[in-house]
């Protein structure tokens, strides 16, 4: 898919411009993950970069990447979809404060860089 190729070819902004993904509610509430790669796949499957063992999340649920300094989310054909501010989206550039819902999880993107990735064992 062309948009997936674009995500994989994107570059990661300098640390001062990277984004932090935070799970605001659900089983993984409080987990933070720095988006420090050109693309990050979130899902239930072993091949996901961020594995979330949550029944309402697909094996490869969504991809996060950068378009310049901005973060985008792209749904990867998940069963329950990816909602941004209550609207089901296939691919969406995100703004600070946007609310993302994947299954039962509520997530937000913050523009600040994190001091390393959180564990999710």
């Amino acid at each position: 898919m062309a948009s997936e190729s674009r995500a994989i070819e994107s570059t990661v902004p300098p640390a001062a411009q990277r984004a932090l993904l935070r799970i605001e509610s659900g089983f993984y509430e409080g987990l933070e993950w720095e988006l420090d790669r050109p693309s990050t796949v979130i899902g239930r499957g072993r091949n996901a970069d961020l594995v979330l063992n949550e029944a309402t999340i697909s094996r490869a649920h969504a991809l996060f990447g950068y378009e310049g300094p901005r973060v985008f989310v792209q749904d990867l054909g998940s069963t329950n979809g990816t909602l941004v501010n209550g609207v089901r989206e296939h691919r969406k550039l995100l703004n600070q404060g946007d609310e993302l819902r994947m299954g039962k999880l509520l997530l937000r993107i913050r523009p600040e860089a994190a001091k390393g990735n959180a564990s999710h064992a």
Side-chain angles (χ1 to χ4, degrees):
M1 190 182 283
S3 53
E4 283 184 73
S5 298
R6 181 174 53 204
I8 293 168
E9 294 170 4
S10 70
T11 59
V12 178
Q17 296 176 349
R18 288 185 200 152
L20 183 71
L21 175 68
R22 179 176 170 80
I23 299 180
E24 300 288 342
S25 70
F27 182 77
Y28 292 92
E29 183 175 342
L31 183 136
E32 294 181 334
W33 187 269
E34 185 179 6
L35 298 175
D36 61 352
R37 304 173 183 185
S39 64
T40 300
V41 173
I42 293 179
R44 223 177 355 101
R46 291 183 192 170
N47 294 329
D49 299 307
L50 175 54
V51 177
L52 300 174
N53 190 15
E54 162 63 55
T56 60
I57 300 293
S58 294
R59 283 185 212 122
H61 195 100
L63 177 142
F64 287 86
Y66 289 95
E67 193 169 294
R70 292 187 62 193
V71 176
F72 69 85
V73 63
Q74 179 174 321
D75 188 82
L76 297 176
S78 67
T79 302
N80 292 317
T82 301
L83 283 72
V84 179
N85 300 322
V87 178
R88 191 171 184 151
E89 299 283 358
H90 171 68
R91 186 177 192 282
K92 178 81 172 166
L93 276 173
L94 301 173
N95 297 304
Q96 186 173 358
D98 281 347
E99 180 180 285
L100 295 121
R101 186 159 297 277
M102 294 179 191
K104 292 182 179 180
L105 303 179
L106 174 65
L107 307 95
R108 288 193 194 275
I109 299 291
R110 291 191 343 213
E112 305 90 43
K115 302 295 183 206
N117 287 328
S119 68
H120 53 277

